[in-house]
Amino acid sequence: MGEIIRLTGVSKTYDTGKIQVQALKPLDLVIEQGEYVAIMGSSGSGKSTLMNILGCLDRPTSGQYLLDGQDVSDKSDNELSLIRNQKIGFVFQSFNLIPRTSALKNVELPMIYARVSSKQREARARELLEKVGLGERLDHMPNEISGGQKQRVAIARALANRPPIIFADEPTGNLDSASSVEIMEIFTRLNREEGTTVVLVTHEPDIAEFADRILTFRDGRVISDVKKKGQTKGEVTA
Amino acid sequence: MFLENVKLALSAIGINKMRSFLTMLGMIIGISSVIAITAIGSSIQGVVNRQFESIGRSAIYFYVNWSMVDDYVPSEALFSVDELQELKKRFEGELVYADPDVYVTSPVRVGNAEKKIRLDGVDAGYENFADVDIIYGRMINENDVKGARPRIVLEVNSARRLFGTENAVGGQVELVIDGEAVDFTVVGVYREKETIFNQISTSDDLYAYIPYSTAPEEADPTLYIYAFLAPDVDVAETALRITDWLAQMKGMPEGYYVYESALEQQNMINDMLGVVSVAIGIIAGISLLVGGIGIMNIMLVSVTERTREIGIRKSLGARTGDILMQFLTESMIISALGGLIGTVLGVGIAAIGMTVAGVGFTMNPLVIVIAVGFSAIVGMFFGIYPARRAAKLDPIEALRYE
C-alpha cells in the first residue's frame, strides 16, 4: 500500500485584516492507503482547518500537500473541484443532502459533475443505496427519512465516483447512539472490505475507537498520533 | 449536462410557483403587449394597403387651394370639359386618365319603382385604373363619352334591387338630368371588391357609372379633377408640374391648384403607423427591462437562499461553470416561459381584437420564435450577475451558511 496523503510543512493562517490567526501550525503528516484514521480535538483546535485542506476545499498558506501522488497545494478552483469529484468522498455532520431532491438524485449528483450518462448514474446510485440498506427508500425526499438514513444516503453519495478516500466530519454528531454505531459500522466495513481510506473528525472518544489510528489536535498542532494494535508513534513534532 | 440544468431549473421553478409566476409577469406583460401591438399594427397596415390598392395607387385629385380662395371660387377657376381634354393631351403618357369628378344623386325609375341613385360620371377607360370588376356587359367607353350617349353601368346589388336580377344588361332606367327625365340603357354591371369600408357600410344606396358628358349641368365645369397617373411616373414631381401648368393655363397665381395623391396618403399613414409602432416598441422595451430586473432580483434572492446547496454541489465536484450554467439556465427558462405565456396572451388579444373589428388576422409564426428567443436572451443577460455570484461562492463559506 502506498501513501495517499503526504503533508510537508503544511500550515494555515487566516488574515482577518488586523490580526493573523495561525489556525494550523506547520504540520508533517503521512496517511497510507487503506488506513482508518480519526482526528480528535476540541473546537478551535485546528482539526476542521486540517479537514478543509485535506478535503481540497481550502489551500494551505504554506507547505506541500500530495494527494494520491499529486501536488494539490496550488491548484485552481476548477482543478480542485475535479479532484474533489474524483478522489474524495465527503460525509458531513449535518448530512448536507440537497433538499426536495430524492435520495436517488442526491446520490447521482457527483456523477452528474463527472459527466456519467444518466443510465449508468441511476444504476450506480441504486446499487449504492442498496448497499447502505436504503433500497426501499430510493425516491424518498431528505425530509421523509430519519437522521441515520440521511447519513447513509450521504455515504452512498460520497462513494458514487469510487473515490480512494472518504472524509467524514463529525459524521455521528447529529445522530443517536444506535444510529451512530450503524454508521460507524458502514465506515469500518468500507475500510476493511474495500480498502477505502477513511479519515474522520470527531470529538467523541468512543467513535474514534472505531479507527485504527487516532490523531489528537490542540492549538493548531498534533499532540498525539496513536496507532492501535500496540503500535505508538508518539508525539509528532511540528 | 444541459438537460440536467433544465430539469433542475424546472424543479426550482415548480417549488416556488407563485414567486416564479410573479417574476415572469414582467416578461409576460412586456412580450404580450409587443406581440399584440405589432400584430394589430401590421393588420391595420394590411387593411390600409388593400384599401389603397382598390382605389388605385396612382389615383390623384387636383383641386383649388382653399387657403388662396377669399369668399367663393371664381367661375374662371373651374375646369371645363375642353380644358380637361387639353390637360390630357398636354401630359399624354403621364396622365393616363382624368374626369371632372362628377358625383351626383338622382332619382331613378324602373317601371313604377322609384329610388335614389348615386351617379359617378366617368371617362372612358376608368376600369383600367380603378377597382371596377365588370361581371356583365361592358364599362362606359369612348363613344359613350364623346357622343354623350345615355348609357349606365350598375353596381351588382343596385342591379338586383332595381331589376330583380344581377344581369340587367339591356334594361332601361329613367334618371332625372337637370330636371328632365332621360332614359338610360344599362350596358354593364360591375362588382366592387370587398374592403373593410364597404363591409361596414350598410347603407341602401344604389351606385352606378355614367359618361361624365351626360352628367347634370351643375356638375360642369368642375372644381375637382379626378385622375390617374401612369404607374411608372414620379408622383410628386409630375403632380407639381401639372398643378403649375393648370395655374398658368387658368391665369391663376402659382400654387392656386394643389393635389392629393393616394400613394402619398398611403405613405403618410404608413409612416404614422411606423412612428406609433416605434413608440410602443420603446415602451415595451422598457417593460422588458423592468421584467429583466425583476428576474435578476429574484435570482439574487434564490442564490442567497440556496447558498448551502451551492456549497454542497461544489464540495461534490461542481465547477464554477457548472454552477454558473445552472443558474443561467434557470433565469433563461423563467424568462422564456414568461415570453411564451406572453406570446400566447398577445396573440390571443390581437386575434380577439381583429375578429371584433372584422379584419382578417394573420400572424407570422416566426414572431413566436423571436419573442421566446428574445426573452430567453433577456433572462440570460439579467441572470449573468446572480449566476456569477453563485459560481464564485467559496465552498467552505457556503457550506457553513445557515
Side-chain angles (χ1 to χ4, degrees), chain A residues 1-5 31-38 67-68 86-91 124 128 131-132 154-168 184-200 210-213:
Chain A
M1 289 276 190
E3 292 170 0
I4 183 116
I5 286 170
I31 295 174
E32 302 281 334
Q33 211 153 28
E35 271 195 281
Y36 193 0
V37 185
L67 173 66
D68 207 10
Q86 296 296 319
K87 303 272 188 203
I88 297 169
F90 282 106
V91 177
R124 171 88 177 136
L128 285 165
K131 195 162 140 184
V132 297
I155 293 171
R157 184 176 69 182
L159 296 172
N161 287 331
R162 299 181 174 84
I165 186 161
I166 299 273
F167 290 108
M184 289 318 295
E185 278 168 354
I186 294 176
F187 283 127
T188 307
R189 211 167 63 227
L190 274 172
N191 179 257
R192 298 282 184 271
E193 292 171 13
E194 298 180 27
T196 308
T197 311
V198 176
V199 178
L200 62 95
F210 281 87
D212 299 331
R213 178 181 173 190

Short mmCIF file of all heavy atoms in Angstrom, two decimals, chain A residues 1-5 31-38 67-68 86-91 124 128 131-132 154-168 184-200 210-213:
data_model
loop_
_atom_site.label_atom_id
_atom_site.label_comp_id
_atom_site.label_asym_id
_atom_site.label_seq_id
_atom_site.Cartn_x
_atom_site.Cartn_y
_atom_site.Cartn_z
N MET A 1 0.84 -1.21 0.00
CA MET A 1 0.00 0.00 0.00
C MET A 1 0.88 1.26 0.00
O MET A 1 1.80 1.38 0.81
CB MET A 1 -0.87 0.01 1.28
CG MET A 1 -1.95 -1.05 1.25
SD MET A 1 -3.39 -0.46 0.38
CE MET A 1 -4.56 -1.76 0.78
N GLY A 2 0.54 2.21 -0.88
CA GLY A 2 1.34 3.44 -0.93
C GLY A 2 0.73 4.54 -0.09
O GLY A 2 -0.25 4.34 0.62
N GLU A 3 1.32 5.69 -0.20
CA GLU A 3 0.81 6.85 0.54
C GLU A 3 -0.35 7.46 -0.22
O GLU A 3 -0.28 7.60 -1.43
CB GLU A 3 1.90 7.92 0.65
CG GLU A 3 3.07 7.52 1.52
CD GLU A 3 4.21 8.53 1.38
OE1 GLU A 3 4.07 9.51 0.63
OE2 GLU A 3 5.23 8.31 2.02
N ILE A 4 -1.39 7.80 0.49
CA ILE A 4 -2.46 8.55 -0.17
C ILE A 4 -2.36 10.03 0.17
O ILE A 4 -2.67 10.89 -0.65
CB ILE A 4 -3.86 7.96 0.16
CG1 ILE A 4 -4.96 8.70 -0.60
CG2 ILE A 4 -4.17 7.98 1.64
CD1 ILE A 4 -5.68 7.85 -1.55
N ILE A 5 -1.88 10.31 1.38
CA ILE A 5 -1.75 11.71 1.79
C ILE A 5 -0.35 11.95 2.35
O ILE A 5 0.15 11.16 3.16
CB ILE A 5 -2.80 12.07 2.87
CG1 ILE A 5 -4.18 12.20 2.21
CG2 ILE A 5 -2.43 13.37 3.61
CD1 ILE A 5 -5.30 12.32 3.21
N ILE A 31 -0.54 9.68 5.52
CA ILE A 31 -1.59 8.67 5.70
C ILE A 31 -1.46 7.67 4.56
O ILE A 31 -1.40 8.05 3.40
CB ILE A 31 -2.99 9.31 5.74
CG1 ILE A 31 -3.12 10.22 6.98
CG2 ILE A 31 -4.08 8.24 5.75
CD1 ILE A 31 -4.42 11.01 7.03
N GLU A 32 -1.37 6.41 4.94
CA GLU A 32 -1.20 5.35 3.93
C GLU A 32 -2.57 4.99 3.35
O GLU A 32 -3.60 5.16 3.99
CB GLU A 32 -0.61 4.09 4.58
CG GLU A 32 0.72 4.29 5.27
CD GLU A 32 1.88 4.32 4.28
OE1 GLU A 32 1.75 3.71 3.19
OE2 GLU A 32 2.91 4.97 4.58
N GLN A 33 -2.52 4.46 2.15
CA GLN A 33 -3.74 3.99 1.52
C GLN A 33 -4.32 2.86 2.38
O GLN A 33 -3.60 1.97 2.84
CB GLN A 33 -3.42 3.46 0.14
CG GLN A 33 -4.56 3.63 -0.83
CD GLN A 33 -4.04 3.73 -2.25
OE1 GLN A 33 -2.98 3.19 -2.57
NE2 GLN A 33 -4.77 4.41 -3.10
N GLY A 34 -5.64 2.92 2.61
CA GLY A 34 -6.30 1.86 3.36
C GLY A 34 -6.29 2.09 4.87
O GLY A 34 -6.78 1.25 5.62
N GLU A 35 -5.78 3.23 5.31
CA GLU A 35 -5.79 3.50 6.74
C GLU A 35 -7.17 3.95 7.20
O GLU A 35 -8.00 4.38 6.39
CB GLU A 35 -4.77 4.59 7.09
CG GLU A 35 -3.39 4.04 7.40
CD GLU A 35 -2.51 5.07 8.09
OE1 GLU A 35 -1.97 5.96 7.38
OE2 GLU A 35 -2.37 5.01 9.32
N TYR A 36 -7.41 3.85 8.50
CA TYR A 36 -8.68 4.25 9.10
C TYR A 36 -8.31 5.18 10.24
O TYR A 36 -7.87 4.73 11.29
CB TYR A 36 -9.39 2.97 9.62
CG TYR A 36 -10.85 3.12 10.01
CD1 TYR A 36 -11.53 4.33 9.91
CD2 TYR A 36 -11.55 2.00 10.47
CE1 TYR A 36 -12.86 4.42 10.26
CE2 TYR A 36 -12.88 2.07 10.82
CZ TYR A 36 -13.54 3.29 10.71
OH TYR A 36 -14.86 3.37 11.07
N VAL A 37 -8.44 6.49 9.98
CA VAL A 37 -7.87 7.48 10.89
C VAL A 37 -8.96 8.34 11.52
O VAL A 37 -9.90 8.74 10.84
CB VAL A 37 -6.89 8.42 10.12
CG1 VAL A 37 -6.19 9.38 11.08
CG2 VAL A 37 -5.87 7.60 9.34
N ALA A 38 -8.83 8.57 12.80
CA ALA A 38 -9.74 9.51 13.47
C ALA A 38 -8.92 10.71 13.92
O ALA A 38 -7.81 10.56 14.41
CB ALA A 38 -10.41 8.85 14.66
N LEU A 67 -1.76 14.56 -2.71
CA LEU A 67 -2.92 13.68 -2.57
C LEU A 67 -2.84 12.65 -3.69
O LEU A 67 -2.87 13.01 -4.88
CB LEU A 67 -4.22 14.48 -2.68
CG LEU A 67 -5.52 13.65 -2.72
CD1 LEU A 67 -5.74 12.92 -1.41
CD2 LEU A 67 -6.72 14.54 -3.03
N ASP A 68 -2.70 11.38 -3.30
CA ASP A 68 -2.60 10.31 -4.28
C ASP A 68 -1.46 10.60 -5.27
O ASP A 68 -1.60 10.42 -6.48
CB ASP A 68 -3.93 10.16 -5.02
CG ASP A 68 -4.13 8.72 -5.52
OD1 ASP A 68 -3.31 7.84 -5.13
OD2 ASP A 68 -5.06 8.50 -6.30
N GLN A 86 -13.35 13.36 -8.07
CA GLN A 86 -12.82 12.05 -8.44
C GLN A 86 -12.15 11.31 -7.29
O GLN A 86 -12.20 10.09 -7.23
CB GLN A 86 -11.79 12.22 -9.58
CG GLN A 86 -12.39 12.76 -10.87
CD GLN A 86 -13.40 11.82 -11.47
OE1 GLN A 86 -13.19 10.61 -11.49
NE2 GLN A 86 -14.51 12.35 -11.95
N LYS A 87 -11.49 12.06 -6.39
CA LYS A 87 -10.63 11.41 -5.39
C LYS A 87 -11.25 11.36 -4.00
O LYS A 87 -10.76 10.62 -3.15
CB LYS A 87 -9.30 12.18 -5.28
CG LYS A 87 -8.55 12.32 -6.60
CD LYS A 87 -7.65 11.15 -6.82
CE LYS A 87 -6.77 11.38 -8.04
NZ LYS A 87 -6.30 10.10 -8.58
N ILE A 88 -12.25 12.22 -3.76
CA ILE A 88 -12.69 12.41 -2.38
C ILE A 88 -14.20 12.21 -2.24
O ILE A 88 -14.98 12.62 -3.10
CB ILE A 88 -12.34 13.86 -1.92
CG1 ILE A 88 -10.82 14.06 -1.93
CG2 ILE A 88 -12.91 14.16 -0.53
CD1 ILE A 88 -10.38 15.49 -1.76
N GLY A 89 -14.57 11.57 -1.13
CA GLY A 89 -15.98 11.49 -0.78
C GLY A 89 -16.17 12.19 0.55
O GLY A 89 -15.41 11.96 1.49
N PHE A 90 -17.18 13.09 0.62
CA PHE A 90 -17.42 13.81 1.86
C PHE A 90 -18.66 13.27 2.57
O PHE A 90 -19.68 13.01 1.95
CB PHE A 90 -17.70 15.29 1.58
CG PHE A 90 -16.47 16.09 1.28
CD1 PHE A 90 -16.19 16.51 -0.01
CD2 PHE A 90 -15.58 16.42 2.30
CE1 PHE A 90 -15.07 17.26 -0.28
CE2 PHE A 90 -14.44 17.18 2.03
CZ PHE A 90 -14.18 17.59 0.74
N VAL A 91 -18.53 13.18 3.92
CA VAL A 91 -19.71 12.94 4.74
C VAL A 91 -19.69 14.02 5.82
O VAL A 91 -18.67 14.20 6.50
CB VAL A 91 -19.68 11.53 5.37
CG1 VAL A 91 -20.89 11.33 6.27
CG2 VAL A 91 -19.65 10.46 4.28
N ARG A 124 -25.84 2.94 -10.79
CA ARG A 124 -24.84 3.01 -9.73
C ARG A 124 -25.47 3.53 -8.43
O ARG A 124 -25.21 3.00 -7.35
CB ARG A 124 -23.70 3.94 -10.19
CG ARG A 124 -22.69 4.29 -9.13
CD ARG A 124 -21.56 3.29 -9.05
NE ARG A 124 -20.55 3.68 -8.06
CZ ARG A 124 -20.00 2.85 -7.20
NH1 ARG A 124 -20.34 1.57 -7.20
NH2 ARG A 124 -19.10 3.25 -6.34
N LEU A 128 -25.63 1.60 -4.84
CA LEU A 128 -25.04 2.15 -3.62
C LEU A 128 -26.06 2.26 -2.50
O LEU A 128 -25.77 1.95 -1.34
CB LEU A 128 -24.43 3.53 -3.91
CG LEU A 128 -23.12 3.51 -4.68
CD1 LEU A 128 -22.79 4.89 -5.22
CD2 LEU A 128 -21.98 3.01 -3.78
N LYS A 131 -26.66 -0.98 -1.04
CA LYS A 131 -25.52 -1.36 -0.23
C LYS A 131 -25.58 -0.77 1.18
O LYS A 131 -25.20 -1.43 2.14
CB LYS A 131 -24.25 -0.87 -0.94
CG LYS A 131 -22.98 -1.48 -0.44
CD LYS A 131 -21.90 -1.27 -1.49
CE LYS A 131 -20.58 -0.92 -0.84
NZ LYS A 131 -19.56 -0.62 -1.87
N VAL A 132 -26.09 0.48 1.30
CA VAL A 132 -26.19 1.08 2.64
C VAL A 132 -27.55 0.78 3.27
O VAL A 132 -27.92 1.37 4.27
CB VAL A 132 -25.94 2.60 2.62
CG1 VAL A 132 -24.52 2.90 2.17
CG2 VAL A 132 -26.96 3.31 1.73
N ALA A 154 -25.92 10.03 2.44
CA ALA A 154 -24.70 10.84 2.26
C ALA A 154 -23.49 9.94 2.00
O ALA A 154 -22.64 10.27 1.16
CB ALA A 154 -24.48 11.71 3.48
N ILE A 155 -23.44 8.81 2.70
CA ILE A 155 -22.30 7.89 2.48
C ILE A 155 -22.37 7.31 1.06
O ILE A 155 -21.37 7.26 0.34
CB ILE A 155 -22.29 6.76 3.54
CG1 ILE A 155 -21.97 7.37 4.92
CG2 ILE A 155 -21.26 5.70 3.18
CD1 ILE A 155 -22.15 6.39 6.07
N ALA A 156 -23.58 6.90 0.67
CA ALA A 156 -23.74 6.38 -0.69
C ALA A 156 -23.29 7.43 -1.71
O ALA A 156 -22.62 7.12 -2.70
CB ALA A 156 -25.21 6.00 -0.93
N ARG A 157 -23.66 8.70 -1.45
CA ARG A 157 -23.28 9.77 -2.37
C ARG A 157 -21.75 9.95 -2.39
O ARG A 157 -21.16 10.14 -3.45
CB ARG A 157 -23.95 11.07 -1.92
CG ARG A 157 -23.71 12.22 -2.87
CD ARG A 157 -24.47 13.44 -2.45
NE ARG A 157 -23.95 14.01 -1.21
CZ ARG A 157 -24.47 15.07 -0.61
NH1 ARG A 157 -25.53 15.67 -1.12
NH2 ARG A 157 -23.96 15.52 0.52
N ALA A 158 -21.14 9.83 -1.20
CA ALA A 158 -19.69 10.01 -1.12
C ALA A 158 -18.96 8.93 -1.93
O ALA A 158 -17.87 9.16 -2.44
CB ALA A 158 -19.24 9.97 0.33
N LEU A 159 -19.59 7.77 -2.07
CA LEU A 159 -18.94 6.64 -2.74
C LEU A 159 -19.20 6.62 -4.24
O LEU A 159 -18.64 5.79 -4.96
CB LEU A 159 -19.43 5.31 -2.13
CG LEU A 159 -19.09 5.09 -0.67
CD1 LEU A 159 -19.81 3.84 -0.16
CD2 LEU A 159 -17.58 4.95 -0.50
N ALA A 160 -20.03 7.55 -4.72
CA ALA A 160 -20.55 7.46 -6.10
C ALA A 160 -19.45 7.30 -7.15
O ALA A 160 -19.53 6.42 -8.00
CB ALA A 160 -21.40 8.69 -6.40
N ASN A 161 -18.42 8.14 -7.06
CA ASN A 161 -17.39 8.08 -8.10
C ASN A 161 -16.21 7.20 -7.71
O ASN A 161 -15.12 7.34 -8.25
CB ASN A 161 -16.91 9.49 -8.44
CG ASN A 161 -17.94 10.27 -9.24
OD1 ASN A 161 -18.72 9.68 -9.98
ND2 ASN A 161 -17.96 11.59 -9.08
N ARG A 162 -16.44 6.27 -6.77
CA ARG A 162 -15.42 5.34 -6.28
C ARG A 162 -14.13 6.06 -5.88
O ARG A 162 -13.04 5.75 -6.35
CB ARG A 162 -15.08 4.31 -7.36
CG ARG A 162 -16.25 3.45 -7.76
CD ARG A 162 -15.85 2.44 -8.81
NE ARG A 162 -16.94 1.52 -9.10
CZ ARG A 162 -17.92 1.79 -9.96
NH1 ARG A 162 -17.94 2.94 -10.60
NH2 ARG A 162 -18.88 0.91 -10.16
N PRO A 163 -14.23 7.04 -4.95
CA PRO A 163 -13.01 7.76 -4.54
C PRO A 163 -12.15 6.87 -3.66
O PRO A 163 -12.68 6.02 -2.94
CB PRO A 163 -13.57 8.95 -3.74
CG PRO A 163 -14.85 8.43 -3.17
CD PRO A 163 -15.41 7.48 -4.18
N PRO A 164 -10.83 7.06 -3.68
CA PRO A 164 -9.97 6.23 -2.83
C PRO A 164 -10.04 6.64 -1.35
O PRO A 164 -9.59 5.89 -0.50
CB PRO A 164 -8.57 6.49 -3.40
CG PRO A 164 -8.66 7.79 -4.11
CD PRO A 164 -10.06 7.92 -4.59
N ILE A 165 -10.57 7.86 -1.09
CA ILE A 165 -10.56 8.33 0.30
C ILE A 165 -11.88 9.00 0.68
O ILE A 165 -12.49 9.70 -0.14
CB ILE A 165 -9.36 9.29 0.53
CG1 ILE A 165 -9.25 9.68 2.02
CG2 ILE A 165 -9.47 10.54 -0.32
CD1 ILE A 165 -7.86 10.21 2.36
N ILE A 166 -12.31 8.74 1.91
CA ILE A 166 -13.54 9.34 2.43
C ILE A 166 -13.17 10.23 3.62
O ILE A 166 -12.46 9.80 4.51
CB ILE A 166 -14.52 8.25 2.95
CG1 ILE A 166 -14.93 7.30 1.84
CG2 ILE A 166 -15.72 8.87 3.64
CD1 ILE A 166 -16.10 7.75 1.03
N PHE A 167 -13.66 11.47 3.58
CA PHE A 167 -13.50 12.35 4.73
C PHE A 167 -14.86 12.51 5.41
O PHE A 167 -15.84 12.90 4.75
CB PHE A 167 -13.00 13.73 4.30
CG PHE A 167 -11.58 13.73 3.83
CD1 PHE A 167 -11.27 13.90 2.49
CD2 PHE A 167 -10.55 13.55 4.74
CE1 PHE A 167 -9.95 13.89 2.06
CE2 PHE A 167 -9.22 13.55 4.31
CZ PHE A 167 -8.92 13.71 2.96
N ALA A 168 -14.90 12.21 6.69
CA ALA A 168 -16.16 12.33 7.41
C ALA A 168 -15.97 13.31 8.57
O ALA A 168 -15.15 13.08 9.45
CB ALA A 168 -16.60 10.97 7.92
N MET A 184 -20.98 4.01 11.85
CA MET A 184 -19.57 3.68 12.01
C MET A 184 -19.27 2.30 11.48
O MET A 184 -18.20 2.04 10.92
CB MET A 184 -19.16 3.78 13.49
CG MET A 184 -19.09 5.21 14.02
SD MET A 184 -18.32 6.39 12.91
CE MET A 184 -16.65 5.75 12.86
N GLU A 185 -20.24 1.39 11.61
CA GLU A 185 -20.03 0.04 11.08
C GLU A 185 -19.91 0.06 9.56
O GLU A 185 -19.15 -0.72 8.97
CB GLU A 185 -21.14 -0.89 11.54
CG GLU A 185 -20.85 -1.40 12.95
CD GLU A 185 -22.03 -2.10 13.60
OE1 GLU A 185 -23.12 -2.08 13.00
OE2 GLU A 185 -21.84 -2.64 14.70
N ILE A 186 -20.68 0.96 8.93
CA ILE A 186 -20.57 1.08 7.47
C ILE A 186 -19.16 1.53 7.09
O ILE A 186 -18.53 0.98 6.20
CB ILE A 186 -21.63 2.06 6.91
CG1 ILE A 186 -23.02 1.49 7.13
CG2 ILE A 186 -21.38 2.33 5.42
CD1 ILE A 186 -24.14 2.43 6.71
N PHE A 187 -18.66 2.55 7.82
CA PHE A 187 -17.30 3.03 7.52
C PHE A 187 -16.29 1.90 7.71
O PHE A 187 -15.39 1.71 6.89
CB PHE A 187 -16.93 4.20 8.43
CG PHE A 187 -17.58 5.50 8.03
CD1 PHE A 187 -18.30 6.25 8.93
CD2 PHE A 187 -17.42 5.97 6.73
CE1 PHE A 187 -18.88 7.45 8.56
CE2 PHE A 187 -18.00 7.18 6.35
CZ PHE A 187 -18.74 7.92 7.26
N THR A 188 -16.43 1.18 8.83
CA THR A 188 -15.48 0.11 9.12
C THR A 188 -15.50 -0.94 8.01
O THR A 188 -14.46 -1.40 7.53
CB THR A 188 -15.83 -0.55 10.48
OG1 THR A 188 -15.91 0.49 11.46
CG2 THR A 188 -14.78 -1.55 10.89
N ARG A 189 -16.72 -1.27 7.58
CA ARG A 189 -16.85 -2.28 6.52
C ARG A 189 -16.20 -1.79 5.23
O ARG A 189 -15.49 -2.54 4.55
CB ARG A 189 -18.34 -2.56 6.29
CG ARG A 189 -18.62 -3.99 5.86
CD ARG A 189 -20.08 -4.32 5.95
NE ARG A 189 -20.90 -3.52 5.07
CZ ARG A 189 -22.03 -2.91 5.45
NH1 ARG A 189 -22.45 -3.01 6.70
NH2 ARG A 189 -22.71 -2.20 4.60
N LEU A 190 -16.45 -0.53 4.91
CA LEU A 190 -15.83 0.05 3.70
C LEU A 190 -14.31 -0.07 3.77
O LEU A 190 -13.65 -0.41 2.80
CB LEU A 190 -16.18 1.53 3.59
CG LEU A 190 -17.48 1.89 2.92
CD1 LEU A 190 -17.75 3.39 3.07
CD2 LEU A 190 -17.42 1.52 1.44
N ASN A 191 -13.79 0.26 4.95
CA ASN A 191 -12.34 0.23 5.13
C ASN A 191 -11.80 -1.19 5.07
O ASN A 191 -10.84 -1.48 4.36
CB ASN A 191 -12.00 0.89 6.46
CG ASN A 191 -10.51 0.87 6.74
OD1 ASN A 191 -10.02 0.07 7.53
ND2 ASN A 191 -9.78 1.73 6.04
N ARG A 192 -12.47 -2.08 5.77
CA ARG A 192 -11.96 -3.46 5.85
C ARG A 192 -12.15 -4.20 4.53
O ARG A 192 -11.26 -4.89 4.06
CB ARG A 192 -12.72 -4.23 6.95
CG ARG A 192 -12.57 -3.67 8.34
CD ARG A 192 -11.23 -4.04 8.98
NE ARG A 192 -11.20 -3.56 10.36
CZ ARG A 192 -10.77 -2.35 10.72
NH1 ARG A 192 -10.34 -1.50 9.80
NH2 ARG A 192 -10.77 -1.99 12.00
N GLU A 193 -13.35 -4.08 3.94
CA GLU A 193 -13.69 -4.93 2.80
C GLU A 193 -13.23 -4.34 1.48
O GLU A 193 -12.92 -5.08 0.54
CB GLU A 193 -15.20 -5.20 2.77
CG GLU A 193 -15.64 -6.09 3.92
CD GLU A 193 -17.16 -6.19 4.04
OE1 GLU A 193 -17.83 -5.77 3.08
OE2 GLU A 193 -17.62 -6.68 5.08
N GLU A 194 -13.24 -3.00 1.38
CA GLU A 194 -12.91 -2.43 0.08
C GLU A 194 -11.62 -1.64 0.08
O GLU A 194 -11.21 -1.08 -0.94
CB GLU A 194 -14.08 -1.56 -0.41
CG GLU A 194 -15.31 -2.43 -0.58
CD GLU A 194 -16.54 -1.68 -1.05
OE1 GLU A 194 -16.36 -0.64 -1.72
OE2 GLU A 194 -17.64 -2.13 -0.74
N GLY A 195 -11.02 -1.53 1.23
CA GLY A 195 -9.73 -0.86 1.32
C GLY A 195 -9.81 0.64 1.14
O GLY A 195 -8.81 1.29 0.82
N THR A 196 -11.00 1.21 1.33
CA THR A 196 -11.14 2.66 1.21
C THR A 196 -10.47 3.33 2.42
O THR A 196 -10.65 2.89 3.55
CB THR A 196 -12.63 3.04 1.19
OG1 THR A 196 -13.27 2.28 0.19
CG2 THR A 196 -12.82 4.53 0.91
N THR A 197 -9.70 4.37 2.14
CA THR A 197 -9.10 5.13 3.23
C THR A 197 -10.20 5.98 3.87
O THR A 197 -10.95 6.65 3.16
CB THR A 197 -7.99 6.05 2.68
OG1 THR A 197 -7.14 5.28 1.86
CG2 THR A 197 -7.21 6.70 3.82
N VAL A 198 -10.32 5.92 5.20
CA VAL A 198 -11.35 6.70 5.87
C VAL A 198 -10.67 7.63 6.88
O VAL A 198 -9.88 7.19 7.70
CB VAL A 198 -12.37 5.79 6.59
CG1 VAL A 198 -13.38 6.63 7.37
CG2 VAL A 198 -13.06 4.87 5.61
N VAL A 199 -10.95 8.93 6.76
CA VAL A 199 -10.45 9.90 7.73
C VAL A 199 -11.67 10.58 8.36
O VAL A 199 -12.48 11.15 7.63
CB VAL A 199 -9.55 10.96 7.06
CG1 VAL A 199 -9.08 11.99 8.09
CG2 VAL A 199 -8.35 10.29 6.40
N LEU A 200 -11.81 10.44 9.67
CA LEU A 200 -12.98 11.07 10.27
C LEU A 200 -12.58 11.99 11.41
O LEU A 200 -11.62 11.75 12.12
CB LEU A 200 -14.00 10.02 10.73
CG LEU A 200 -13.65 8.98 11.78
CD1 LEU A 200 -14.12 9.46 13.15
CD2 LEU A 200 -14.32 7.67 11.41
N PHE A 210 -13.38 3.37 16.80
CA PHE A 210 -13.59 2.52 15.62
C PHE A 210 -12.36 2.55 14.72
O PHE A 210 -12.13 1.62 13.95
CB PHE A 210 -14.82 3.00 14.81
CG PHE A 210 -16.13 2.56 15.40
CD1 PHE A 210 -16.77 3.31 16.37
CD2 PHE A 210 -16.72 1.36 14.97
CE1 PHE A 210 -17.98 2.92 16.90
CE2 PHE A 210 -17.93 0.97 15.51
CZ PHE A 210 -18.57 1.74 16.46
N ALA A 211 -11.60 3.66 14.76
CA ALA A 211 -10.47 3.82 13.84
C ALA A 211 -9.25 3.06 14.33
O ALA A 211 -9.18 2.64 15.48
CB ALA A 211 -10.16 5.30 13.69
N ASP A 212 -8.29 2.93 13.41
CA ASP A 212 -7.06 2.22 13.75
C ASP A 212 -5.98 3.18 14.24
O ASP A 212 -4.98 2.78 14.82
CB ASP A 212 -6.50 1.49 12.52
CG ASP A 212 -7.48 0.45 12.01
OD1 ASP A 212 -8.26 -0.08 12.82
OD2 ASP A 212 -7.48 0.19 10.78
N ARG A 213 -6.18 4.46 13.92
CA ARG A 213 -5.15 5.45 14.26
C ARG A 213 -5.86 6.72 14.70
O ARG A 213 -6.82 7.15 14.06
CB ARG A 213 -4.31 5.70 13.00
CG ARG A 213 -3.23 6.74 13.17
CD ARG A 213 -2.50 6.90 11.85
NE ARG A 213 -1.56 7.99 11.88
CZ ARG A 213 -0.94 8.47 10.80
NH1 ARG A 213 -1.19 7.93 9.61
NH2 ARG A 213 -0.09 9.46 10.90
#
